[in-house]
Amino acid sequence: MSFLERHKQEKLVTFVKFVKDKLELKKIPTIKLLNGRGELKTTALYNYSNPEKVIKVNAKNRHIVDVMRSVAHEMVHHKQFEDGRLDGPTPPDIGGDIEDEANSLAGQFIKMFAQEDNTIYDE
């Protein structure tokens, strides 16, 4: 996260704790912010089949609120994993209950968090 400005790092840490509490996660996966897309095909990835639970998010040239939304989306997938809903084959990237839930909740978490800190939109 060293390429992010300190105040953005602090906002992101606070947001991750906020989402953890809302989702009632047992454990927060490791979150790696990337300074570029690297091996990612999209903006973020959570590989629930990997024993080490890691969320990877491209943060380069993105507004902090967009990074937060990507992190929240992947944290929802982690909750789905914790609840045993991701035991089978890889869920579809587009549509379906798993993706729709992650998209919906991530957006809700951004709006709820903005009620506490509306400066997330100040870029």
Side-chain angles (χ1 to χ4, degrees):
M1 281 199 318
S2 62
F3 63 93
L4 283 183
E5 297 168 12
R6 184 166 182 79
H7 73 280
K8 291 180 183 181
Q9 291 178 27
E10 291 168 357
K11 283 183 192 300
L12 189 56
V13 167
T14 302
F15 179 71
V16 166
K17 291 176 184 174
F18 174 86
V19 173
K20 176 196 183 284
D21 291 344
K22 293 294 182 192
L23 288 173
E24 299 179 350
L25 291 177
K26 296 172 192 160
K27 184 179 180 205
I28 299 173
T30 300
I31 298 172
K32 292 185 178 181
L33 297 183
L34 307 177
N35 191 8
R37 208 160 43 117
E39 79 270 11
L40 299 179
K41 293 179 182 174
T42 60
T43 55
L45 173 70
Y46 171 69
N47 183 353
Y48 62 89
S49 63
N50 190 334
E52 292 182 18
K53 303 303 178 218
V54 177
I55 291 171
K56 295 179 182 178
V57 178
N58 176 16
K60 183 178 183 179
N61 298 327
R62 295 179 69 202
H63 292 283
I64 193 64
V65 69
D66 295 329
V67 173
M68 289 174 166
R69 194 206 161 284
S70 292
V71 168
H73 178 102
E74 301 306 332
M75 288 177 73
V76 171
H77 284 320
H78 182 69
K79 175 64 174 171
Q80 293 165 339
F81 171 78
E82 283 186 351
D83 291 346
R85 296 175 54 207
L86 296 180
D87 286 339
T90 304
D93 285 338
I94 302 171
D97 293 342
I98 295 295
E99 272 304 298
D100 289 349
E101 180 182 44
N103 285 324
S104 174
L105 287 177
Q108 288 176 40
F109 293 145
I110 290 295
K111 289 180 180 180
M112 288 188 296
F113 188 74
Q115 290 177 344
E116 296 180 18
D117 180 0
N118 66 359
T119 67
I120 63 173
Y121 298 115
D122 288 351
E123 289 187 30

